[in-house]
Amino acid sequence: MKISKVGLRTAILAGLVLVVFALFGVRLMQMQIVQGEEYLALAEAGDVKTQTIVAARGEIVDRNGEPLAENRVGYDIILDKVYMTKDMENQVILRLVEILRENNEEWIDNLPITMEEPFEFIEGREDDVAELKENLGLQNWATLENVMDAMEEEYDIEGLTPEETRIIAGVRYEMVEKGYSIENPYTFASDVSMETVSKVKENNLDLPGADIYETPIREYVNGTVAPHIVGQIGPIYAEEYAELKEQGYLLNDTVGKSGIEQYFESYLRGENGTRDITLTNQGIVTNVEVTKAPEAGNTVVLTIDSDLQRVAYQALEEEIKYLNETAPSGEGKEADAGVVVAVDTKTGEILAAVNYPSYDLATYQENYDTLANDPLNPLFNRAFQGTYTPGSIFKPCVATAALSEGIITADSTVNCGGTYMYYAPSYTPGCLSVHGDINVLRALMRSCNIFFYDVGRRTGIETIAEYARAMGLGVPTGVEIGEARGVVASPEYRESMGGEWYPGDVIQASIGQSDNKFSPIQLANYVCTIANRGERKNLRVVKEIRSYNQDEVVETFESEVVETVSTPEVFETVIEGMIMAAGPEGTSVHTFDDYPYTVAAKTGTPETKQFPNSTYICFAPAEDPQIAIVVVIEKGWHGYTGAPVAKKVLDQYFFGSSETEETEESSDSSSASQAESSSAASSSQSAEEASGQ
């Protein structure tokens, strides 16, 4: 039989089709019978999602291991999308709010709309309102009603009261803002009580997706000790997230915002862990496995001595209150703020840095509005960021410059007749006392203006400025958490500010006035340089980094000599004058009479736009210095008002709680006895500390 070409092609095609079906049949049989279980498992497995396990933040302790910022176990309510069905989200939110309200607790809600009817945009949050409208796809002119309608539609809110609608909208909006997803559970409420924990667990069947996580909660157990240094943590803001995301942060993480918490974030943060969650294609969890355990952050050990910090704060507060109660108007009665800084002269470690008034880190959040609106600005770190005209405590710098450059010797004298006549008749500043022929030692002891006017003029402003910077004024100290730069008076600075420098300005700069302005820690570094006979070191507030449980030293820090100024012989002369200033005839007004250690000191009363401040510097023992102290009392008028504060700090440092009876009596003598001594002292002593000293 003869087969046509068409029939042949049809037969071949049919055969190929049969072969293909046969192959499909074989493959199907293999999949269903031979590999059936394997493919069924793959179909049911669905996907693997990775969640982050947050590491515990490292702690902050003082030099003796006393905790300042530590962690305790807290409990957060979280919403986990792995277990949350979409149709239950709103019901779960309302039930959780009900539980929290029963226990007078709050949930996280940052929506800029009031919680109760009649709803309004919250005043002062215009930027947040604009962002809300933009995120909802609304124009800027959209009304509150438009916003609420958009959220009802966006979040499938139906059949609820206006208040319930507002609650759900606030939570759901925050969930979106925080990137709520399978990989990123949402924190609904933080640090809830055990009663709330129990209630959530009891109702777990009605709360799918709601769970309790144990979380390390930051706790400032000694919140009044150096709060400006310790700093705070806070949520990550949207504008920060773009950069922090690259460093592995999640949007709902916390991060250091100020102080050590901010500047040592990389040490404190720790390393997060991960867990893998296996789900079926129907979203059912089949396995949870920790793939990487979290590693806690390191502990930061400060140089601060908590006991010394407390004593310094109390001493400063007592002195300011005493002046408020007893000083004449315009002569200290108005004192309202101040600073104490104490430094270990041998190591450059800051032992105390007190700001008054201050605040408590433990109550910072709830008291923030009050603190932020306080006219005395307790949140401001005066010790590191404040700058003050130094007054006569600058005179040792001028003495150092003049002695080093051979302008004077220890025996050189200047005649003080009470008025400086070099620029007469146009400019004749005074001393408010007559000292006759006086050398540098007695000029420091008596704080003679005329001596330093003349010596400063002959030394020249360029040389004075050079030595000021070399001794640590107007230059960074190296402290780790940020500081003010300060200003050394000079023609260049004046011109940079659009002013003009006059020849007579040098004599005002020579007594610590003019444009001179320095931070208290710069002044402390300056005092340390004098105490160390010209060796200037960088200052530190961090001693070392330890592992979380403190059993291993990770990194240590040491101060280095950054500059050597002049010769030890020059500084011996300056120090001798400062010892005399702290003595019975000096301007410290008998504070250190019969003190067990030799103290070198200098007082100052710099003029300000309002009332003169009080500045005081000292170190001890003068022969082998261990500690240097700076005291600034805003509107304190007389420099000697800082002396009793410094003395109490020295008492704590040298004797602690085991003072001798003599020292206890000496320590207890407050400004009352200082005032009595002052009135008994010669009028020239107190006069020298007025108007620009």
Side-chain angles (χ1 to χ4, degrees):
M1 183 175 67
K2 193 173 182 177
I3 300 176
S4 68
K5 290 182 179 180
V6 175
L8 180 60
R9 284 197 296 268
T10 303
I12 293 171
L13 183 60
L16 288 174
V17 170
L18 289 173
V19 170
V20 170
F21 273 109
L23 290 174
F24 273 121
V26 171
R27 181 60 177 156
L28 184 61
M29 182 178 67
Q30 183 183 27
M31 291 175 64
Q32 291 179 330
I33 299 173
V34 179
Q35 295 177 294
E37 292 185 4
E38 179 183 345
Y39 280 95
L40 179 62
L42 286 173
E44 291 179 346
D47 199 2
V48 176
K49 299 293 184 180
T50 300
Q51 285 186 347
T52 298
I53 306 173
V54 178
R57 191 172 181 82
E59 301 187 339
I60 303 172
V61 301
D62 83 342
R63 65 186 299 111
N64 301 310
E66 182 173 333
L68 301 176
E70 64 179 10
N71 299 317
R72 62 175 173 80
V73 176
Y75 299 94
D76 291 354
I77 301 175
I78 63 97
L79 299 180
D80 193 333
K81 197 165 186 175
V82 170
Y83 303 99
M84 175 76 77
T85 56
K86 187 172 180 59
D87 62 327
M88 287 293 291
E89 281 182 329
N90 294 343
Q91 296 177 46
V92 169
I93 289 169
L94 289 178
R95 180 64 183 122
L96 288 173
V97 166
E98 182 183 346
I99 292 172
L100 286 167
R101 281 180 164 174
E102 288 173 359
N103 292 319
N104 296 315
E105 296 187 80
E106 296 181 349
W107 62 97
I108 297 172
D109 187 312
N110 293 312
L111 196 67
I113 298 174
T114 55
M115 291 294 293
E116 297 177 355
E117 291 188 280
F119 299 122
E120 296 177 347
F121 291 125
I122 297 175
E123 188 176 346
R125 295 186 60 185
E126 288 76 15
D127 290 345
D128 294 332
V129 171
E131 183 180 356
L132 170 63
K133 292 177 181 179
E134 182 181 351
N135 290 342
L136 292 171
L138 300 175
Q139 297 296 323
N140 193 48
W141 43 258
T143 66
L144 178 63
E145 184 178 357
N146 297 147
V147 170
M148 293 300 293
D149 288 344
M151 286 192 291
E152 285 186 45
E153 182 178 352
E154 178 73 18
Y155 306 134
D156 298 321
I157 305 173
E158 296 178 351
L160 300 177
T161 67
E163 183 183 2
E164 291 173 332
T165 299
R166 165 61 186 85
I167 290 171
I168 291 172
V171 175
R172 294 288 297 277
Y173 180 73
E174 189 73 12
M175 290 166 69
V176 173
E177 288 291 285
K178 293 300 184 182
Y180 173 62
S181 65
I182 290 177
E183 295 87 352
N184 187 30
Y186 171 71
T187 302
F188 178 82
S190 294
D191 198 19
V192 299
S193 65
M194 286 305 299
E195 289 81 1
T196 295
V197 170
S198 299
K199 198 72 173 177
V200 171
K201 288 185 176 294
E202 288 172 10
N203 291 269
N204 67 320
L205 295 178
D206 298 326
L207 298 170
D211 201 356
I212 301 294
Y213 276 15
E214 286 190 4
T215 309
I217 301 294
R218 204 57 161 176
E219 192 166 65
Y220 298 101
V221 289
N222 289 293
T224 59
V225 175
H228 302 83
I229 292 176
V230 175
Q232 303 99 22
I233 60 173
I236 294 175
Y237 301 127
E239 56 270 23
E240 299 175 298
Y241 186 56
E243 179 180 346
L244 292 175
K245 182 180 181 181
E246 299 300 319
Q247 302 173 35
Y249 286 86
L250 302 175
L251 191 54
N252 59 353
D253 280 343
T254 57
V255 67
K257 295 294 185 179
S258 63
I260 294 296
E261 293 277 29
Q262 178 184 17
Y263 284 86
F264 280 75
E265 172 71 18
S266 61
Y267 290 96
L268 292 164
R269 179 187 173 200
E271 190 171 342
N272 292 338
T274 56
R275 67 167 66 88
D276 283 351
I277 301 172
T278 306
L279 304 98
T280 69
N281 59 356
Q282 295 177 332
I284 299 172
V285 177
T286 60
N287 187 51
V288 177
E289 179 184 2
V290 174
T291 52
K292 180 184 176 184
E295 296 180 18
N298 293 309
T299 294
V300 177
V301 182
L302 303 185
T303 60
I304 296 294
D305 183 314
S306 294
D307 290 335
L308 197 69
Q309 180 85 6
R310 293 187 186 98
V311 167
Y313 185 88
Q314 183 178 0
L316 180 61
E317 182 179 44
E318 289 173 351
E319 182 66 19
I320 289 174
K321 289 182 176 179
Y322 178 79
L323 291 172
N324 297 158
E325 294 169 0
T326 64
S329 295
E331 294 189 33
K333 192 175 189 66
E334 298 77 14
D336 56 12
V339 176
V340 180
V341 177
V343 178
D344 185 321
T345 58
K346 296 186 181 297
T347 65
E349 295 176 349
I350 298 173
L351 303 173
V354 164
N355 295 281
Y356 179 87
S358 187
Y359 64 98
D360 188 343
L361 278 172
T363 58
Y364 168 78
Q365 296 294 341
E366 53 261 49
N367 295 337
Y368 177 78
D369 288 342
T370 300
L371 293 168
N373 293 315
D374 190 325
L376 294 180
N377 201 0
L379 296 176
F380 182 52
N381 187 352
R382 289 173 162 86
F384 289 13
Q385 299 289 348
T387 56
Y388 296 89
T389 302
S392 288
I393 62 174
F394 187 71
K395 289 175 179 176
C397 173
V398 177
T400 300
L403 288 164
S404 300
E405 297 297 317
I407 307 298
I408 61 171
T409 68
D411 298 322
S412 301
T413 61
V414 171
N415 183 267
C416 172
T419 304
Y420 191 58
M421 302 299 294
Y422 186 85
Y423 296 106
S426 60
Y427 183 41
T428 55
C431 190
L432 297 181
S433 187
V434 177
H435 297 110
D437 290 338
I438 188 168
N439 65 14
V440 66
L441 300 178
R442 294 189 64 80
L444 287 169
M445 179 182 76
R446 294 290 191 181
S447 200
C448 174
N449 273 358
I450 301 298
F451 180 90
F452 286 98
Y453 286 153
D454 195 62
V455 170
R457 177 187 60 79
R458 288 188 279 145
T459 303
I461 191 61
E462 291 80 8
T463 301
I464 293 171
E466 177 188 347
Y467 276 84
R469 295 188 186 99
M471 295 173 74
L473 298 173
V475 295
T477 67
V479 71
E480 301 92 335
I481 64 170
E483 58 182 308
R485 182 63 183 257
V487 175
V488 177
S490 69
E492 293 76 19
Y493 174 76
R494 181 72 62 81
E495 290 166 8
S496 73
M497 299 301 292
E500 186 175 353
W501 182 268
Y502 297 98
D505 287 327
V506 66
I507 68 173
Q508 282 299 314
S510 298
I511 63 167
Q513 291 289 151
S514 183
D515 297 326
N516 287 316
K517 277 198 169 185
F518 312 120
S519 69
I521 57 167
Q522 286 180 338
L523 291 169
N525 206 13
Y526 159 68
V527 182
C528 286
T529 303
I530 298 172
N532 289 325
R533 276 65 176 173
E535 282 191 351
R536 176 165 67 90
K537 301 176 181 178
N538 58 298
L539 300 187
R540 294 180 295 111
V541 75
V542 175
K543 190 175 183 67
E544 62 188 11
I545 306 296
R546 289 182 167 271
S547 58
Y548 185 80
N549 56 13
Q550 300 190 48
D551 61 353
E552 179 185 351
V553 176
V554 175
E555 189 172 353
T556 58
F557 304 95
E558 292 184 3
S559 296
E560 298 178 350
V561 176
V562 295
E563 189 154 2
T564 300
V565 186
S566 191
T567 65
E569 290 75 21
V570 164
F571 283 97
E572 291 296 347
T573 299
V574 173
I575 290 169
E576 184 179 350
M578 294 177 68
I579 292 172
M580 293 167 65
E585 296 183 73
T587 53
S588 290
V589 195
H590 301 292
T591 301
F592 292 106
D593 291 0
D594 302 320
Y595 199 68
Y597 293 97
T598 306
V599 178
K602 186 70 192 77
T603 53
T605 308
E607 291 179 336
T608 70
K609 292 180 180 179
Q610 292 182 307
F611 303 97
N613 289 338
S614 164
T615 57
Y616 190 82
I617 58 174
C618 69
F619 59 89
E623 303 83 1
D624 183 22
Q626 297 179 33
I627 182 173
I629 300 170
V630 173
V631 181
V632 178
I633 301 178
E634 296 181 18
K635 306 174 190 174
W637 187 264
H638 299 290
Y640 59 72
T641 59
V645 177
K647 181 177 179 296
K648 290 176 182 177
V649 175
L650 290 177
D651 286 346
Q652 173 63 28
Y653 179 82
F654 287 120
F655 311 112
S657 58
S658 58
E659 300 176 24
T660 62
E661 183 177 348
E662 179 182 5
T663 305
E664 286 176 344
E665 292 173 358
S666 177
S667 178
D668 288 340
S669 63
S670 66
S671 294
S673 62
Q674 299 301 323
E676 293 171 5
S677 298
S678 176
S679 62
S682 66
S683 60
S684 63
Q685 286 182 337
S686 58
E688 285 153 6
E689 285 302 313
S691 296
Q693 296 301 303

